[in-house]
Amino acid sequence: MALSKEQIAQRIAQELKNGYYVNLGIGIPTLVANYVPEGIEVVLQSENGMLGMGPFPEKGQADPDLINAGKQTVTVLPGGSFFDSSTSFAMIRGGHVDLTVLGAFEVSEKGDIASWKIPGKMVKGMGGAMDLVASAKNIVVAMQHCSKDGQSKLLKKCTLPLTGVRCIRKIVSDLAVIEVTEDGFKLLERAPGVSVDEIIAATEARLIVDGDVPEMKF
């Protein structure tokens, strides 16, 4: 069974380390705020000007003035702070973000990412993705392994305009956890009930498989 968006976020939350400053991109990445493991403290940063972002509010508890970069209502944890965009991007460009979680349209076996534009479709703007991929110390991509028409999104070479070059370290898709190595994509974990052969078939680029591949644990 392929993972739901919530399960992708739950698996990515396992990448969080105590003391991390983490930026969550629009889409699936925003769900990671709901699954921060107990016993660790991380500070979630939203590029529209917030530190200390918490999980999504419960029904009826939303404050319309508290939103993330995707215009979703969020909560703020004790000690949280607010600031302007220039300060927010100074944090990003200054290399102060330990981990960035981004969505993607495509990722290449070299670690290139295309995440901001599909030619012929309306583009609201590139957002902060280009700054994040150029400055973050560690980038994890949350994505669907294939498009709606069944085409692989993990490619030998991206076909869409690039957001960043050779910057992605790890991908968590609805089928697998994949590391981007010097030799290409390496399969680390598979979604429960999904076989290695199914993941290979869904990946256009060559996939390195080294021994038995464990299922993800939640």
Side-chain angles (χ1 to χ4, degrees):
M1 291 287 292
L3 300 183
S4 66
K5 293 179 180 180
E6 289 76 14
Q7 288 174 314
I8 294 174
Q10 192 175 357
R11 173 57 187 84
I12 289 176
Q14 297 176 24
E15 302 295 315
L16 304 178
K17 305 297 182 185
N18 193 51
Y20 267 14
Y21 284 82
V22 182
N23 180 283
L24 301 179
I26 296 170
I28 297 174
T30 61
L31 298 172
V32 174
N34 293 334
Y35 299 104
V36 176
E38 292 184 9
I40 72 168
E41 291 187 9
V42 297
V43 179
L44 301 181
Q45 191 245 20
S46 185
E47 69 194 47
N48 58 314
M50 184 189 308
L51 272 180
M53 185 169 59
F56 288 123
E58 295 182 8
K59 187 175 181 179
Q61 301 298 313
D63 182 340
D65 289 329
L66 299 179
I67 60 171
N68 61 21
K71 308 298 187 293
Q72 298 165 303
T73 54
V74 295
T75 59
V76 179
L77 300 178
S81 60
F82 306 92
F83 34 86
D84 60 17
S85 291
S86 61
T87 301
S88 180
F89 277 85
M91 295 174 184
I92 293 168
R93 295 171 183 170
H96 303 293
V97 175
D98 298 296
L99 174 67
T100 291
V101 184
L102 293 174
F105 299 135
E106 297 174 345
V107 177
S108 82
E109 63 185 359
K110 300 295 185 183
D112 305 334
I113 180 175
S115 68
W116 75 279
K117 181 180 180 180
I118 297 178
K121 292 193 176 183
M122 185 181 71
V123 181
K124 293 182 179 180
M126 65 185 69
M130 291 183 179
D131 298 88
L132 287 161
V133 298
S135 308
K137 301 171 185 175
N138 186 12
I139 304 167
V140 175
V141 168
M143 67 187 298
Q144 304 292 332
H145 209 98
C146 297
S147 63
K148 292 180 180 178
D149 60 358
Q151 299 300 308
S152 178
K153 295 164 69 173
L154 278 70
L155 309 174
K156 295 175 183 176
K157 185 177 181 180
C158 292
T159 64
L160 297 173
L162 294 182
T163 308
V165 176
R166 292 178 178 263
C167 56
I168 305 305
R169 294 188 181 184
K170 187 173 287 185
I171 301 160
V172 180
S173 78
D174 55 336
L175 300 183
V177 178
I178 292 172
E179 181 182 9
V180 181
T181 73
E182 289 294 324
D183 298 318
F185 291 138
K186 181 177 181 180
L187 182 58
L188 299 183
E189 301 173 22
R190 53 192 175 86
V194 176
S195 70
V196 171
D197 287 342
E198 287 175 307
I199 299 167
I200 291 174
T203 308
E204 187 222 55
R206 185 175 73 91
L207 194 60
I208 301 168
V209 180
D210 187 9
D212 292 333
V213 179
E215 289 189 348
M216 298 181 206
K217 296 187 183 298
F218 297 96

